[in-house]
């Protein structure tokens, strides 16, 4: 299903009226809202939101402890992502049939949003990269995982501090093996997060309604 | 509905504020609790309407329209809109021809993203001290740090005051290096008629929502002085599959905000001028220095302390600063340190893991040095003797709020006895640079 323009307009107006459009604002509700939604529907306890799919792949690899000069077992990557992983200095080894890659890659399209989120929930990989860009609000991505360690490392890549968005101003390090190396600003805009959340909520609720009425999966 | 509309106006001054007891010692604060919030960015009906209209365009067109309008405003040759300030600096460096293992000279006092962007470009940041008056990169320190592997000098127009670009340009010309600006604090700032972002071979600029020129959340833009430089950056993104694209939502907000940027800049300049006049009269406080012909954008407003002017010269200046900081916060003026130690003393540059296994520092081990705060005496002295106003002055605050800021500084400057009492009572344990590194 595709989100109606009027719904996007409502979401954007609601967020603009709140006056909070910055990710590092401690009163922001949009980013935590999207994190909760993705956590619930992928049944993963940890979510890291990012500003593109390449940022999400980078965060997943960093989360898994992979860095320059190392090999990583990857899912099938398109040409762009293969080039990106290579640019990071990581050699992407494609996982064979018997192997589980370090992360799975799921592209969430407007037409099949609910199915794709369910697919991410079924993945057995340690982390799942969600490409949320096709939803239409600009580049957006996420990493979902059950591993706190993966989350912590991924979060530190996307900010400049030692902890998370709202406490990023310190570099007092409580966990020395999580010391950041290069840090990119991969933060997602709350305006984009709010729209992505609305689109996913609509897709998931339409899917639930169609299941309840016995008309099958949305398309 | 959650709204950012103020709940009540600030009362006008009645003349008793500066003579009342200090809030720290039980008096009424100059800015009452509940009225301390500053709103930024200012979001108007034009922003919401433009956002709705943008839905009818293609995303690429919305981003392009924004980038072209802002490029034209800045006066740069070409522009590349991206997802963050860090990405913009990365692309500026690549566009300027910085290659893996090259050295890029950066100031030791800046936000950490300046140096991390150098690492993103797979180059090695070489840190130098700052000028004691402008707090920007000292040209003579930059020249002294040049080696055969130096590709670029990247000054930061720190807090919104343009760096000494004429002198730095001379350094570049004499040594065959290029000038790349970090203009992340310097929207609408400039030297003479030239605006920051158009002064070097390339420039990067953050446009996150807390900057003087805010976009819808997170964003940045790189500027280039030639088609070749622009093309080098674009090719790098395509060749390496890097997705640094700006969201249309973010760009749409920028286009409508740009129409009001001049208005907000004028209020910031007016407020800064008035506060500077007030600080000049206090003795204890000094306003930011602005060289003739330079336009400061006042993204941050750094205030100096002169303990000797009020008979406190026997106290270490950093202890006076700690006490004044406490007194200001109690009066409702949220002054900050904004950084407490030079950037090379932050964890990413003491451990130097980079992309992993030390890359790109391993490409040029001689340039990757261990530092202590003592290596940058001017940065250290500045951090020990200054305080900063950030959002509370970069927001186009109302005149009565500005008058109250000024009143709070006057009130505290009249009470060196209270500062001495606090210093004696608190026994502040250590100077700022001995604390864990802070980013803000």
């Amino acid at each position: 299903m595709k989100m109606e323009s009027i719904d996007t307009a409502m979401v954007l107006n609601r967020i603009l009226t709140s006056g909070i459009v910055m990710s590092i604002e401690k009163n922001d509700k949009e980013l935590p809202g999207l994190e909760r939604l993705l956590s619930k529907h992928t049944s993963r306890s940890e979510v890291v939101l990012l500003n593109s799919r390449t940022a999400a792949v980078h965060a997943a690899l960093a989360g898994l402890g992979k860095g320059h000069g190392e090999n990583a077992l990857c899912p099938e990557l398109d040409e762009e992502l293969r080039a990106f992983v290579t640019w990071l200095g990581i050699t992407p080894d494609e996982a064979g049939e018997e192997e589980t890659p370090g992360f799975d890659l799921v592209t969430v399209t407007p037409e099949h949003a609910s199915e794709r989120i369910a697919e991410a929930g079924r993945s057995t990989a340690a982390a799942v990269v969600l490409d949320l860009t096709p939803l239409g609000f600009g580049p957006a991505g996420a990493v979902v995982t059950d591993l706190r360690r993966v989350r912590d490392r991924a979060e530190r890549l996307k900010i400049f501090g030692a902890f998370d968005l709202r406490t990023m101003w310190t570099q007092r390090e409580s966990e020395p093996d999580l010391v950041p190396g290069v840090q990119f600003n991969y933060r997602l805009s709350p305006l984009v997060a709010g729209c992505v959340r609305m689109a996913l909520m609509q897709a998931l609720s339409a899917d639930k309604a169609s299941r309840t009425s016995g008309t099958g999966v949305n398309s | 509905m959650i709204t950012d509309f103020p709940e009540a106006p600030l009362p006008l001054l009645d003349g008793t504020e500066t003579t009342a007891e200090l809030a720290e010692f039980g008096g009424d604060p100059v800015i009452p609790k509940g009225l301390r919030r500053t709103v930024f960015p200012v979001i108007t009906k034009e922003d919401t309407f433009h956002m709705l209209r943008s839905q009818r365009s293609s995303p690429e067109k919305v981003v392009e329209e924004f980038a072209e309008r802002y490029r034209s405003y800045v006066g740069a040759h070409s522009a590349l809109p991206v997802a963050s300030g860090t990405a913009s600096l990365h692309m500026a460096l690549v566009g300027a021809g910085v290659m893996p293992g090259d050295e890029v000279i950066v100031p030791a006092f800046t936000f950490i993203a300046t140096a991390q962007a150098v690492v993103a470009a797979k180059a090695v940041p070489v840190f130098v001290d700052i000028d004691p008056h402008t707090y920007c990169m000292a040209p003579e320190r930059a020249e002294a740090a040049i080696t055969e592997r130096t590709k670029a000098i990247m000054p930061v127009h720190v807090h919104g005051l343009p760096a000494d670009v004429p002198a730095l340009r001379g350094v570049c010309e004499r040594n065959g290096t290029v000038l790349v600006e970090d203009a992340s604090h310097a929207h609408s700032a400039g030297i003479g008629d030239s605006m920051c972002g158009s002064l070097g071979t390339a420039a990067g600029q953050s446009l996150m929502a807390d900057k003087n020129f805010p976009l819808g959340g997170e964003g940045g833009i790189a500027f280039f002085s030639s088609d070749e430089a622009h093309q080098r950056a674009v090719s790098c993104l395509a060749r390496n599959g890097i997705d640094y694209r700006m969201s249309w939502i973010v760009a749409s907000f920028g286009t409508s905000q740009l129409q009001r940027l001049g208005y907000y800049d004028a209020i910031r300049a007016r407020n800064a001028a008035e506060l500077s006049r007030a600080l000049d009269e206090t003795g204890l406080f000094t306003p930011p220095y602005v060289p003739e012909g330079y336009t400061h954008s006042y993204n941050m407003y750094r205030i100096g302390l002169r303990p000797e002017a009020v008979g406190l010269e026997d106290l270490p200046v950093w202890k006076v600063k700690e006490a004044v900081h406490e007194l200001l916060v109690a009066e409702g003026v949220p002054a900050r340190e904004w950084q407490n130690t030079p950037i090379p003393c932050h964890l990413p540059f003491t451990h130097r893991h980079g992309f992993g296994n030390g890359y790109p520092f391993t490409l040029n081990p001689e340039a990757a040095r261990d530092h202590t705060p003592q290596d940058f005496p001017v940065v250290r002295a500045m951090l020990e003797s200054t305080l900063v106003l950030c959002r509370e002055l970069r927001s186009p605050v109302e005149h009565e709020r500005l008058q109250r800021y000024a009143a709070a500084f006057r009130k505290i400057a009249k009470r060196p006895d209270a500062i001495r009492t606090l210093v004696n009572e608190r026994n502040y344990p250590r100077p700022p640079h001995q604390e864990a590194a802070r980013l803000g």
Side-chain angles (χ1 to χ4, degrees):
Chain A
M1 68 168 286
K2 188 158 171 47
M3 190 159 157
E4 297 294 338
S5 294
I6 186 72
D7 297 322
T8 307
M10 281 288 287
V11 171
L12 290 170
N13 272 316
R14 176 177 57 75
I15 302 170
L16 289 172
T17 306
S18 78
I20 298 168
V21 296
M22 183 171 60
S23 62
I24 58 171
E25 179 71 61
K26 64 179 180 220
N27 294 322
D28 162 61
K29 304 276 191 291
E30 303 306 325
L31 297 164
L34 179 57
E35 285 171 358
R36 278 196 302 275
L37 183 80
L38 291 174
S39 173
K40 182 180 170 191
H41 290 279
T42 59
S43 303
R44 303 285 181 131
S45 57
E46 311 292 339
V47 178
V48 180
L49 299 175
L50 298 119
N51 66 3
S52 73
R53 73 169 189 154
T54 56
V57 167
H58 192 174
L61 288 165
L64 295 164
K66 295 293 180 185
H68 194 277
E70 296 172 342
N71 289 46
L73 211 51
C74 294
E76 191 178 339
L77 301 175
D78 61 24
E79 198 180 327
E80 280 189 347
L81 281 181
R82 179 164 281 276
F84 178 70
V85 173
T86 306
W87 177 74
L88 294 176
I90 296 171
T91 305
D93 294 333
E94 204 162 293
E97 281 188 16
E98 302 296 310
E99 295 172 305
T100 305
F103 67 94
D104 263 339
L105 182 60
V106 173
T107 302
V108 182
T109 59
E111 296 79 13
H112 302 286
S114 180
E115 291 164 64
R116 295 287 186 263
I117 295 292
E119 192 184 312
R122 290 193 297 274
S123 165
T124 55
V128 183
V129 167
L130 297 174
D131 179 8
L132 303 166
T133 312
L135 293 172
F137 308 106
V143 175
V144 296
T145 179
D146 277 328
L147 303 175
R148 186 77 188 174
R149 205 74 170 161
V150 170
R151 180 261 177 207
D152 287 348
R153 287 202 196 99
E155 189 74 23
R156 280 160 203 241
L157 176 72
K158 87 173 191 196
I159 59 169
F160 293 106
F163 296 103
D164 56 30
L165 274 183
R166 285 152 196 89
T167 52
M168 67 176 265
W169 300 107
T170 179
Q171 289 204 334
R172 185 187 297 277
E173 190 50 75
S174 54
E175 298 182 79
D177 61 331
L178 286 180
V179 169
V182 66
Q183 295 165 301
F184 287 76
N185 173 357
Y186 282 148
R187 304 189 302 254
L188 185 64
S189 161
L191 285 160
V192 176
C195 291
V196 167
R197 178 166 159 241
M198 173 64 86
L200 290 178
M201 280 170 66
Q202 289 188 351
L204 291 162
S205 111
D207 183 38
K208 192 175 172 189
S210 69
R211 282 174 197 279
T212 309
S213 65
T215 55
V217 179
N218 66 328
S219 60
Chain B
M1 184 183 289
I2 300 169
T3 176
D4 62 344
F5 198 84
E7 287 170 18
L10 266 176
L12 299 175
L13 291 175
D14 66 12
T16 61
E17 288 80 4
T18 54
T19 53
E21 178 55 291
L22 291 165
E24 181 76 24
F25 299 108
D28 288 335
V30 175
I31 301 180
K33 283 181 181 162
L35 298 176
R36 293 177 180 177
R37 197 161 151 248
T38 46
V39 173
F40 199 72
V42 180
I43 298 168
T44 70
K45 59 188 185 301
E46 289 83 1
D47 294 311
T48 54
F49 182 73
H50 190 262
M51 190 85 79
L52 305 192
R53 206 167 56 177
S54 295
Q55 285 185 271
R56 293 181 171 271
S57 292
S58 73
E60 294 77 15
K61 203 172 158 195
V62 174
V63 176
E64 254 172 49
E65 181 194 356
F66 161 73
E68 177 49 27
R69 284 185 186 217
Y70 189 47
R71 179 208 64 74
S72 169
Y73 174 81
V74 169
H77 175 81
S78 55
L80 178 63
V82 289
S84 72
T86 314
S88 76
L89 293 167
H90 176 191
M91 286 301 101
L93 290 163
V94 168
V98 170
M99 301 291 284
D102 284 347
E103 292 167 26
V104 177
I105 296 172
V106 297
F109 172 62
T110 175
F111 188 62
I112 195 169
T114 309
Q116 286 288 30
V118 175
V119 182
K122 302 185 175 177
V124 178
V126 173
F127 298 95
V128 298
D129 212 341
I130 57 171
D131 178 88
H133 305 290
T134 65
Y135 308 143
C136 294
M137 177 188 279
E140 68 280 8
R141 304 310 311 161
E143 187 147 30
I146 284 179
T147 72
E148 284 183 356
R149 298 193 69 175
T150 304
K151 178 66 190 181
I153 296 177
M154 185 155 74
V156 181
H157 307 307
V158 80
H159 299 342
L161 177 68
D164 188 350
V165 171
L168 289 164
R169 225 182 250 142
V171 174
C172 287
E173 283 165 9
R174 282 195 294 278
N175 294 280
T177 61
V178 293
L179 185 78
V180 179
E181 300 169 78
D182 180 345
S184 293
H185 291 174
H187 313 82
S188 308
I191 303 173
D193 294 330
S194 299
M195 202 174 276
C196 294
S198 71
L199 307 175
T201 298
Q205 186 170 66
S206 169
L207 299 168
M208 73 170 292
D210 205 27
K211 291 295 193 297
N212 281 20
F213 175 36
L215 267 63
E218 306 289 342
I221 194 162
F223 295 114
F224 305 96
S225 61
S226 68
D227 291 339
E228 294 73 28
H230 182 258
Q231 192 51 45
R232 267 195 293 269
V234 171
S235 300
C236 168
L237 295 177
R239 190 173 61 250
N240 299 307
I242 302 167
D243 189 351
Y244 272 164
R245 286 174 301 154
M246 178 185 280
S247 159
W248 66 267
I249 294 172
V250 167
S252 170
F253 189 79
T255 299
S256 53
Q257 286 279 322
L258 182 57
Q259 292 186 29
R260 300 195 301 280
L261 178 58
Y263 176 87
Y264 298 136
D265 284 339
I267 293 182
R268 277 188 279 261
R270 178 200 72 182
N271 285 350
E274 182 160 337
L275 186 58
S276 293
R277 277 194 296 275
L279 294 185
D280 265 334
E281 290 166 8
T282 62
L284 176 59
F285 299 108
T286 57
Y289 166 70
V290 185
E292 186 70 31
Y294 281 52
T295 303
H296 195 316
S297 65
Y298 299 107
N299 179 253
M300 293 184 213
Y301 184 95
R302 189 167 284 268
I303 298 157
L305 285 165
R306 295 171 57 238
E308 67 279 12
V310 290
L312 297 174
E313 60 276 9
D314 56 312
L315 300 175
V317 66
W318 65 268
K319 290 191 177 186
V320 173
K321 185 196 82 159
E322 295 279 6
V324 167
H325 195 175
E326 272 191 57
L327 295 171
L328 280 168
V329 170
E331 298 296 341
V333 179
R336 294 150 217 260
E337 282 190 315
W338 203 78
Q339 310 276 327
N340 65 318
T341 196
I343 293 298
C345 304
H346 285 236
L347 288 172
F349 298 102
T350 56
H351 291 80
R352 295 192 292 274
H353 295 326
F355 280 72
N357 298 303
Y359 184 90
F361 299 101
T362 47
L363 297 175
N364 188 346
E366 282 180 21
R369 299 183 194 105
D370 291 320
H371 284 294
T372 66
Q374 285 70 19
D375 294 339
F376 307 98
V378 183
V379 173
R380 193 178 141 185
M382 178 202 68
L383 294 171
E384 290 186 355
S385 64
T386 59
L387 286 164
V388 185
L389 296 179
C390 297
R391 190 195 289 196
E392 44 284 348
L393 201 63
R394 90 174 56 116
S395 318
V397 295
E398 63 273 36
H399 193 239
E400 51 268 41
R401 184 174 303 276
L402 182 82
Q403 288 182 315
R404 283 181 179 271
Y405 290 158
F409 285 101
R410 284 195 194 100
K411 185 179 179 183
I412 291 166
K414 285 181 180 174
R415 294 293 305 278
D417 62 304
I419 295 170
R420 185 177 293 281
T421 300
L422 270 190
V423 168
N424 291 335
E425 280 181 2
R426 294 288 197 270
N427 199 18
Y428 301 112
R430 59 188 77 85
H433 69 267
Q434 288 180 13
E435 302 282 350
R438 286 189 296 277
L439 294 161

